[in-house]
Amino acid sequence: MTAPLWTAVEIATATGGVASADFAASGVTFDSREVGPGDLFIALHGEFSDGHRFLDGAFAQGAAGAIVSQATPHPHVLVADTTLALDALARAARARTSAKIIGVTGSVGKTGTKEALFEALDRGVPGGAHRSLKSYNNHTGVPLSLSRMPAATRFGVFEMGMNHAANSRN
């Protein structure tokens, strides 16, 4: 049996939140349409929507737990700000691994370069490489990709967009 990616205690410790119940997550997502069995759902407040509106649906699809900033009857870790909690979870994921991290940025070719590096590293160390999926290269996608990285990862390859100066929360 594979070790969980995150436990409720680890999530609470990383984010400074309070766990309502014991749970273990095998994946992480903030898009309720992508929740799979065992995932941690992060209820982000977006510009046009609030992830808390999708909690029931996320749990109906098999979410193991959620990071929330509002009370819910579902297993969760309660935090003051879910976006800051995602950032904290990403920092904790980075801190718990000794993986070599490669960041790919630029104005063109990031995704192809990231995929080529991942394939080469994963071929050399099967199952030892992790990468950002899709083009998750923005202020929420990069921490999401980091938070999905297993502790035993040997190589992490992350795509990062650089279209504006870093904000003060990083």
Side-chain angles (χ1 to χ4, degrees):
M1 182 171 174
T2 310
L5 184 61
W6 294 102
T7 65
V9 170
E10 291 168 334
I11 296 163
T13 300
T15 63
V18 177
S20 71
D22 189 28
F23 63 86
S26 55
V28 180
T29 188
F30 52 65
D31 185 336
S32 62
R33 299 166 296 186
E34 294 180 359
V35 172
D39 280 350
L40 172 68
F41 175 66
I42 304 175
L44 296 179
H45 291 276
E47 193 173 334
F48 301 106
S49 188
D50 180 353
H52 292 84
R53 291 181 34 221
F54 304 101
L55 284 166
D56 289 339
F59 280 92
Q61 289 173 221
I67 295 178
V68 297
S69 60
Q70 303 169 13
T72 178
H74 303 291
H76 64 274
V77 173
L78 182 64
V79 298
D81 183 309
T82 56
T83 300
L84 293 178
L86 173 59
D87 291 346
L89 195 63
R91 284 190 299 277
R94 179 61 185 104
R96 72 181 183 176
T97 184
S98 61
K100 301 276 187 219
I101 301 297
I102 301 165
V104 180
T105 189
S107 56
V108 70
K110 292 182 296 294
T111 303
T113 301
K114 173 202 62 170
E115 291 296 322
L117 284 167
F118 170 79
E119 290 297 329
L121 294 166
D122 198 53
R123 183 172 293 163
V125 182
H130 174 80
R131 71 184 181 285
S132 47
L133 298 178
K134 302 182 185 179
S135 290
Y136 282 151
N137 63 17
N138 62 18
H139 67 283
T140 53
V142 173
L144 175 68
S145 296
L146 277 164
S147 70
R148 290 175 167 174
M149 182 172 57
T153 298
R154 302 246 333 256
F155 300 98
V157 186
F158 300 94
E159 181 177 338
M160 300 176 294
M162 301 296 283
N163 61 350
H164 60 276
N167 62 34
S168 60
R169 69 180 182 125
N170 293 328

